[in-house]
Amino acid sequence: MRAFLILVLLAVTACSIRPLLSETNAPPQRLMEGWEARWGDSPFDEEGVPVWTYQDLENTAWTPTSRIISVLSSVREQFLWLRVRLPREYWSDPVLFFPRVFLNFQVYLGDRLVHSYGDMQPRLDSRFDSFVSHRIFLPPNYQGQMLFVRLFTSLPEINGIEGTVFLGARESLLPHLIQQGLGDFTIGVFCIIVGFFVLMTCLDRKNKKPYAALSFGTFALFGGLAYLSRTYALTWIVHAPVFWYFAMFISYLVFPAALVAFAEQIIGPGYKNFIRRLWQFHLIALPILVALDITGIMIIPRLMIPFRILWALDTMTLLVAGLLAAIRKKYEARIMLVGIGIFTLLSLHDMFGAPTGVWLMPAGTFIFIILMGHILYHQYTENSRRLVVYSQELEDKSLRLEEAKAELEEYSRTLEQKVEERTREVREKQAQLVQSSKMASLGSLVAGVAHEINTPVGAISSMHNTLMRAVVKLKAELESCLTENREEKARMLSSLQ
């Protein structure tokens, strides 16, 4: 944290420092053109001076090179010589700045040894020396002389000087480096802050599966760490080569995996889960490569070319998958496609030596982080909107549930009264049914009795009528028979009456 504060303070005051410098000093100058390379090692004379520094300077073995880092050797030499003619500008207390050198080296001004680092012998821990910045103090008569750099590496496929070589006055060099590295430093701090904030948000959220935010935060955090590890002024102030070594290479291995994992959350796992398998391969390879590096079996810098090939595969996979998802009219996939496209183009621009003269990858990273953050924010707002809708639905259901509960309580409270009322109604209806049954039985009984009574009465009535007719006929017969005997007639009639 103290180093960060120092860098910020120096960056703010860098522009005001330069007018205070001596008017005799020119601003620091990039020393990136006119370099020549020669593989192998020079013979030494009796005084221990390399012969290549003063003899046969026009030998065709010295070949111009536009890059002074990763000069590949077809014969796998461990020694590499570089040379360049120093400019004629004047600087008081001149200093030559090498950001990083693979791995041990010596510097000659003409045939004079002016700087030496390392014992020029193979050592396992010498790989950390590549993350040490070097300030080489030159004698006052440096102007226009030939500068020779003798490099030794235990990695023949990786040799040279990484980054930009500067030549300038000692008092103006650090502010100039801060100005030059302000872009990387700003982007690095920005990415680390964003990544840390997103990761802390993931820990605080109740969501049990915040995979998109987790992968984005990891990508931003390790991407920012990678940018800080390549800030020359920071590595100058914070002398921790082992930390910067693992910070850079682990970041290079982690942030592609985090990016692919984040893309999976946006566009899906891809054809036959290819995108998922890709970031899983990164994560499986990470501890294996770190273990191999620590044990010295295979150090990470030797895998930079395969890493770049794998990074190109990651980029092409995401571009193709993002394009297919964008065709399906997925908004987040379109944003991601734009971000990856911009980041890839600007990265390729810097990988090919920045032909425009401006390093654009920090700007590409900033744009990419902003776009990916927009995707994350869009997901957050969309999920929040859905959560609000779901909460409203829950409130409505809860209100209906409360109403049903109140109705149930009211029903429970009046249930006993209703049971009593219903019981009384049932008993009254039961009494009515019993009374109706009795009346029906009585009606049947009365009908039977009436029937039984009506049957003999009818018979008696019928017999009476028959007898009455018989008596009338008999009376008529008797009257006709007893006409002559009136007295007998009268007696019989009186007896009949």
Side-chain angles (χ1 to χ4, degrees):
M1 181 60 67
R2 183 181 299 176
F4 289 166
L5 296 176
I6 294 174
L7 281 175
V8 172
L9 179 62
L10 291 177
V12 172
T13 58
C15 294
S16 60
I17 291 177
R18 298 180 73 179
L20 301 178
L21 301 179
S22 175
E23 295 181 357
T24 59
N25 286 326
Q29 179 178 335
R30 293 172 178 263
L31 200 61
M32 298 299 293
E33 297 181 356
W35 286 89
E36 295 178 325
R38 185 174 180 177
W39 286 101
D41 197 14
S42 169
F44 290 79
D45 60 18
E46 295 179 355
E47 298 180 357
V49 178
V51 175
W52 288 357
T53 60
Y54 63 87
Q55 286 185 3
D56 202 14
L57 298 181
E58 303 300 326
N59 194 308
T60 57
W62 292 97
T63 58
T65 178
S66 58
R67 302 184 64 192
I68 56 177
I69 179 172
S70 300
V71 184
L72 301 180
S73 170
S74 59
V75 295
R76 302 181 65 81
E77 290 282 353
Q78 290 187 317
F79 284 93
L80 171 66
W81 281 75
L82 298 172
R83 70 178 184 180
V84 67
R85 189 167 295 278
L86 298 180
R88 296 189 178 276
E89 282 81 3
Y90 173 79
W91 291 278
S92 61
D93 197 7
V95 176
L96 190 66
F97 177 75
F98 286 171
R100 292 167 188 157
V101 181
F102 290 95
L103 292 167
N104 302 326
F105 68 101
Q106 294 174 336
V107 179
Y108 292 86
L109 188 63
D111 58 358
R112 177 184 173 186
L113 179 66
V114 295
H115 185 83
S116 180
Y117 182 81
D119 52 9
M120 311 299 281
Q121 297 292 330
R123 291 181 295 109
L124 177 61
D125 60 350
S126 64
R127 66 190 186 281
F128 304 133
D129 296 337
S130 60
F131 283 82
V132 177
S133 59
H134 301 274
R135 298 178 293 279
I136 302 166
F137 300 96
L138 300 178
N141 61 342
Y142 68 91
Q143 296 167 283
Q145 292 198 44
M146 187 69 74
L147 181 78
F148 294 89
V149 182
R150 177 180 179 237
L151 300 111
F152 172 82
T153 178
S154 57
L155 310 175
E157 64 273 20
I158 303 176
N159 206 337
I161 304 171
E162 179 184 6
T164 304
V165 178
F166 288 98
L167 177 61
R170 180 179 181 180
E171 61 183 0
S172 62
L173 188 57
L174 182 58
H176 183 76
L177 290 177
I178 293 175
Q179 287 182 332
Q180 294 295 319
L182 191 59
D184 286 346
F185 177 78
T186 304
I187 295 298
V189 173
F190 171 76
C191 292
I192 288 178
I193 293 175
V194 171
F196 182 79
F197 174 77
V198 173
L199 291 177
M200 291 298 100
T201 304
C202 292
L203 296 178
D204 293 337
R205 290 182 62 184
K206 296 181 180 180
N207 185 8
K208 297 182 179 180
K209 296 181 180 180
Y211 296 137
L214 182 62
S215 55
F216 173 76
T218 304
F219 167 78
L221 183 64
F222 282 92
L225 188 60
Y227 272 102
L228 289 184
S229 64
R230 49 179 275 178
T231 304
Y232 301 150
L234 187 59
T235 56
W236 181 341
I237 296 174
V238 182
H239 184 77
V242 177
F243 170 77
W244 294 121
Y245 173 87
F246 284 107
M248 172 172 280
F249 290 118
I250 291 179
S251 298
Y252 281 172
L253 295 174
V254 171
F255 85 84
L259 174 60
V260 177
F262 178 72
E264 181 194 358
Q265 302 302 316
I266 304 303
I267 60 180
Y271 178 71
K272 292 186 177 180
N273 295 329
F274 183 75
I275 295 178
R276 180 176 300 172
R277 298 292 180 264
L278 200 56
W279 67 261
Q280 289 175 347
F281 173 77
H282 279 281
L283 293 185
I284 293 174
L286 174 62
I288 297 176
L289 293 178
V290 172
L292 292 177
D293 185 277
I294 293 176
T295 56
I297 298 175
M298 175 67 72
I299 64 175
I300 297 177
R302 286 189 172 182
L303 302 174
M304 292 309 296
I305 293 179
F307 165 77
R308 291 176 181 176
I309 296 174
L310 184 59
W311 171 240
L313 176 63
D314 295 339
T315 305
M316 293 303 299
T317 300
L318 297 184
L319 286 174
V320 173
L323 179 61
L324 294 177
I327 293 175
R328 294 194 294 268
K329 299 181 180 181
K330 191 173 182 180
Y331 172 77
E332 296 173 350
R334 293 178 179 178
I335 298 298
M336 193 193 72
L337 181 63
V338 172
I340 293 179
I342 294 175
F343 181 74
T344 302
L345 289 177
L346 298 185
S347 299
L348 291 175
H349 171 274
D350 290 2
M351 288 178 62
F352 285 100
T356 61
V358 180
W359 297 99
L360 300 177
M361 190 171 177
T365 303
F366 177 78
I367 295 173
F368 183 76
I369 290 291
I370 293 297
L371 292 177
M372 296 305 102
H374 172 71
I375 292 176
L376 201 61
Y377 177 75
H378 180 266
Q379 284 190 340
Y380 174 75
T381 54
E382 184 67 19
N383 292 334
S384 298
R385 185 189 63 81
R386 294 176 181 176
L387 185 60
V388 169
V389 174
Y390 182 68
S391 299
Q392 186 63 39
E393 293 177 354
L394 285 181
E395 290 180 1
D396 295 340
K397 292 181 179 180
S398 178
L399 181 60
R400 291 194 296 268
L401 184 60
E402 291 294 332
E403 294 176 354
K405 184 179 179 181
E407 293 178 359
L408 182 61
E409 290 178 353
E410 179 66 19
Y411 183 77
S412 299
R413 186 175 60 84
T414 60
L415 180 60
E416 184 176 354
Q417 181 180 354
K418 290 181 179 181
V419 168
E420 292 178 355
E421 293 177 357
R422 294 294 176 86
T423 303
R424 186 174 61 254
E425 292 176 359
V426 169
R427 287 177 179 176
E428 292 176 354
K429 290 182 179 181
Q430 186 177 9
Q432 292 176 1
L433 290 175
V434 170
Q435 186 66 24
S436 299
S437 178
K438 289 180 178 180
M439 295 301 294
S441 300
L442 182 59
S444 298
L445 178 62
V446 170
V449 170
H451 174 72
E452 294 297 331
I453 293 174
N454 286 335
T455 299
V457 169
I460 293 170
S461 176
S462 177
M463 183 61 68
H464 175 266
N465 291 335
T466 302
L467 290 174
M468 288 300 294
R469 287 192 302 267
V471 169
V472 173
K473 289 180 180 181
L474 180 60
K475 184 179 180 181
E477 287 291 334
L478 287 177
E479 284 180 355
S480 64
C481 290
L482 296 177
T483 301
E484 297 177 356
N485 194 352
R486 291 189 179 271
E487 292 179 1
E488 185 66 27
K489 176 180 178 182
R491 188 179 60 79
M492 293 180 64
L493 287 174
S494 62
S495 63
L496 290 171
Q497 292 176 352

